[in-house]
Amino acid sequence: MNIIGEKLNAIIEYLIKLNCPIVNLLQSPLENEEFDKLMVGIPISLPNEVISLFKWRNGVDANKENYIGATKLFPRAAFYEFSHTINRYKEGAGRDQYWDSSKFMIFESGAGEMYLIECNPDSQNFGTIYLYDLCAIEFDTLIPIYDSITSLLDTILECYSKGIYSCDPLTGVTTENWEMYLREFEISKKHNPRSSYWSLFSSPDM
């Protein structure tokens, strides 16, 4: 098993301990044949980290009526199946100056924000995860938020290990109070030094 799978398995252990609903909703790993079929006509090659993510588990079925909190691996975003992310790419990539065709959605918040990964291997930002938010006030629609999938998973793991994330039966994984949010902010900033989202504010209490 690769390092992405190992980190995800560690995360799922925390989700099980916290009785998080996503544990029972995650689908079986994406098969190679299905992956190849869905990628037909997609003009990019996905980074190995992205492929490893969906071949670990194929997210949550986006066609079933699950409340958004039940689909979250971490408080900021839901983890949907690969076919859903493909549809998001077809709908959104290249439609504005921010989401260009080299960026692929891997997670979304359920409230309009999407997490896009840079897939151009010639880009100095290859593998960087961007927050794409058309309603953003603090930044202009697109901003780096995680240095890579690996750094994102390291962020999530540290937050679980330190009790920063909890699980509510209605809202799913959450930071239940302001103190926990501030601690998540500092951990995220530590693991993602190249991502300017965490430096938007002079202090996390805005």
Side-chain angles (χ1 to χ4, degrees):
M1 177 176 293
N2 60 37
I3 189 66
I4 298 298
E6 291 175 1
K7 292 178 187 294
L8 287 163
N9 280 342
I11 288 171
I12 204 74
E13 290 301 316
Y14 285 110
L15 292 167
I16 291 170
K17 290 176 183 177
L18 292 170
N19 294 314
C20 293
I22 192 174
V23 172
N24 297 316
L25 298 176
L26 287 171
Q27 301 182 109
S28 300
L30 181 68
E31 298 291 340
N32 290 336
E33 183 178 353
E34 181 66 11
F35 173 81
D36 292 341
K37 178 180 177 182
L38 289 168
M39 285 297 293
V40 171
I42 302 300
I44 55 173
S45 296
L46 298 182
N48 289 333
E49 286 187 325
V50 176
I51 299 171
S52 295
L53 173 66
F54 289 98
K55 289 190 176 181
W56 170 74
R57 297 287 191 281
N58 190 21
V60 175
D61 188 342
N63 294 315
K64 292 185 177 179
E65 294 184 2
N66 297 303
Y67 61 93
I68 189 66
T71 65
K72 292 184 174 181
L73 276 179
F74 64 112
R76 294 178 178 270
F79 176 33
Y80 287 118
E81 63 195 340
F82 188 64
S83 60
H84 177 75
T85 67
I86 288 286
N87 288 336
R88 286 286 197 234
Y89 180 84
K90 291 177 178 178
E91 294 165 357
R95 298 295 176 91
D96 61 35
Q97 62 180 310
Y98 303 99
W99 186 350
D100 59 59
S101 60
S102 70
K103 294 179 177 63
F104 187 83
M105 192 200 83
I106 51 173
F107 301 118
E108 61 184 293
S109 71
E113 302 97 339
M114 298 185 186
Y115 293 78
L116 313 179
I117 189 166
E118 177 58 62
C119 300
N120 180 2
D122 295 325
S123 169
Q124 62 180 357
N125 298 314
F126 177 63
T128 297
I129 298 171
Y130 293 83
L131 177 61
Y132 173 80
D133 182 1
L134 292 171
C135 298
I137 297 172
E138 299 89 353
F139 58 93
D140 186 14
T141 306
L142 190 76
I143 191 170
I145 188 168
Y146 297 106
D147 290 1
S148 65
I149 289 181
T150 298
S151 70
L152 165 60
L153 297 180
D154 287 339
T155 302
I156 295 171
L157 273 171
E158 184 168 349
C159 287
Y160 277 121
S161 69
K162 293 187 173 177
I164 292 168
Y165 293 163
S166 56
C167 192
D168 182 276
L170 294 178
T171 60
V173 182
T174 184
T175 48
E176 63 183 18
N177 57 49
W178 187 242
E179 177 187 356
M180 294 302 181
Y181 170 79
L182 295 182
R183 291 176 66 190
E184 180 201 28
F185 187 100
E186 291 304 322
I187 289 169
S188 300
K189 191 172 183 178
K190 178 184 72 174
H191 285 292
N192 302 279
R194 294 186 290 104
S195 293
S196 53
Y197 176 86
W198 309 106
S199 299
L200 278 174
F201 315 103
S202 58
S203 64
D205 59 3
M206 283 42 127

